[in-house]
Amino acid sequence: MSVSTHRLADGHEIPLLGLGVWQVSDGSDCVNAVRWALELGYRHIDTAQAYGNEESVGRALRESGVPREDLFITTKFYPRRRGDPAAEAERSLRRLGVDQVDLYIIHWPEGGPTWAWPGMEKAHELGYTRSIGVSNFSVQELEQVIGVAGVPPVANQVQFSPFEYRRGLLDECRRRGVALEAYSPLGTGRHLDDATVIAIAERLERTPAQVLLRWCVQREIPVIPKSTHRERIAENAQIFDFALTDADLAALDALDRTRGTDRARERKWW
Ligand code: A2P
């Protein structure tokens, strides 16, 4: 498998496809999923302090034998404790068993979008992470962070799919040199039953999951589908050897339920 990459505004490359481990239980489920992904050629793993599975991710990374420099590892600062992002990054590194992650992002803007940013910059300055960013931030929240930043965020990870096609947010991110990353690209599985997606998949002799993931990578949007099944992890990686037509893209774009909003999420959930 050959995975294309996207160059972040700070010059580092992020693989367009990664394995997301949200809702993957700590222990053998997580170790196996990450191990299979690495065997199958994934080089990008996305975890978070809040997922409680960084140790399992770390174990799988070590056991894989894949050289550290070939991997792209993201973890996320859990803002609920109002803690110190740099100190929490150091704890993540210990759990993951690495000296540095590639991307460290604020998981959501709880308590306001800016208070954690100086600590994120400190984590960056101390070399705990190569790049820093945010997640679940709206355009307005992103603007506020950029307003106080010495080192600006290079990524904003949000729920994104043809059904959550936040065009306004995507355009603003691009204008500001922030890579929009797509989580829950399959709608946590719900979007796989859609008739439009199925029809395109059948015509291209692909699966609905591959169509939804291709829709992201064809736009150079990094995407992190989650699965704990080896055959699905393999299936989700076979997206760099076919293309959607302009008509396919337009049909998928029309599924948007967010009507191009610049919001990062439907509501505040914390
Ligand atoms: P599982 O982990 O049991 O394989 P998202 O990435 O949008 O959050 O979606 C993840 C959900 O979609 C999980 O429930 C996962 O189930 C399921 N899933 C992931 N890949 C596939 C696939 N290729 N085909 C069907 N379901 C999938």
Side-chain angles (χ1 to χ4, degrees), residues 112-157:
T114 56
W115 67 268
W117 198 252
M120 298 296 287
E121 292 186 341
K122 190 169 150 213
H124 181 253
E125 197 186 305
L126 290 169
Y128 296 162
T129 182
R130 289 213 299 175
S131 301
I132 46 179
V134 297
S135 180
N136 296 301
F137 275 45
S138 66
V139 169
Q140 209 192 1
E141 289 157 344
L142 206 51
E143 273 170 359
Q144 290 179 57
V145 171
I146 291 169
V148 301
V151 180
V154 295
N156 184 20
Q157 189 182 110

Side-chain angles (χ1 to χ4, degrees), residues 4-268:
S4 310
T5 61
H6 173 74
R7 186 179 290 271
L8 298 168
D10 61 9
H12 298 303
E13 303 269 340
I14 182 170
L16 284 180
L17 175 72
L19 178 77
V21 293
W22 177 45
Q23 292 183 331
V24 179
S25 331
D26 197 28
S28 59
D29 276 2
C30 184
V31 175
N32 284 335
V34 175
R35 192 172 49 212
W36 290 328
L38 296 172
E39 277 169 20
L40 290 161
Y42 286 63
R43 290 294 177 264
H44 171 184
I45 308 292
D46 183 284
T47 183
Q49 291 162 359
Y51 302 168
N53 56 20
E54 289 174 311
E55 281 182 15
S56 297
V57 170
R59 197 177 129 199
L61 296 176
R62 275 191 305 283
E63 289 177 2
S64 74
V66 176
R68 173 65 187 94
E69 62 270 23
D70 293 350
L71 295 166
F72 189 99
I73 307 164
T74 297
T75 196
K76 311 185 189 82
F77 171 59
Y78 184 24
R80 271 200 178 150
R81 301 179 198 110
R82 273 248 170 202
D84 171 3
E88 295 301 334
E90 198 184 6
R91 291 194 186 97
S92 282
L93 297 182
R94 235 176 288 139
R95 287 189 291 267
L96 287 161
V98 295
D99 297 331
Q100 185 182 53
V101 289
D102 295 276
L103 179 61
Y104 187 45
I105 60 190
I106 302 176
H107 208 146
W108 57 83
E110 182 167 339
T114 56
W115 67 268
W117 198 252
M120 298 296 287
E121 292 186 341
K122 190 169 150 213
H124 181 253
E125 197 186 305
L126 290 169
Y128 296 162
T129 182
R130 289 213 299 175
S131 301
I132 46 179
V134 297
S135 180
N136 296 301
F137 275 45
S138 66
V139 169
Q140 209 192 1
E141 289 157 344
L142 206 51
E143 273 170 359
Q144 290 179 57
V145 171
I146 291 169
V148 301
V151 180
V154 295
N156 184 20
Q157 189 182 110
V158 299
Q159 186 178 10
F160 198 78
S161 80
F163 300 82
E164 292 92 14
Y165 183 16
R166 308 169 193 288
R167 229 171 303 196
L169 181 63
L170 178 64
D171 290 346
E172 278 303 305
C173 283
R174 286 193 162 151
R175 207 168 64 77
R176 292 166 185 279
V178 176
L180 185 146
E181 275 188 89
Y183 75 71
S184 293
L186 313 177
T188 61
R190 291 188 316 278
H191 300 335
L192 299 170
D193 299 330
D194 178 82
T196 303
V197 177
I198 290 172
I200 294 172
E202 283 176 355
R203 205 192 75 249
L204 296 173
E205 299 183 354
R206 295 285 168 159
T207 67
Q210 289 168 335
V211 167
L212 289 168
L213 299 174
R214 179 71 204 176
W215 180 85
C216 289
V217 300
Q218 200 159 317
R219 292 208 157 94
E220 228 186 277
I221 294 169
V223 65
I224 48 165
K226 170 260 176 185
S227 178
T228 48
H229 292 91
R230 195 180 204 282
E231 63 287 356
R232 288 178 176 173
I233 295 171
E235 175 187 323
N236 295 348
Q238 300 307 310
I239 54 172
F240 296 98
D241 57 348
F242 76 105
L244 299 166
T245 64
D246 288 346
D248 294 333
L249 289 171
L252 292 165
D253 292 355
L255 300 172
D256 181 24
R257 295 185 304 219
T258 65
R259 288 185 294 283
T261 180
D262 64 0
R263 279 178 291 135
R265 52 190 188 272
E266 299 316 304
R267 62 195 159 79
K268 216 170 156 172

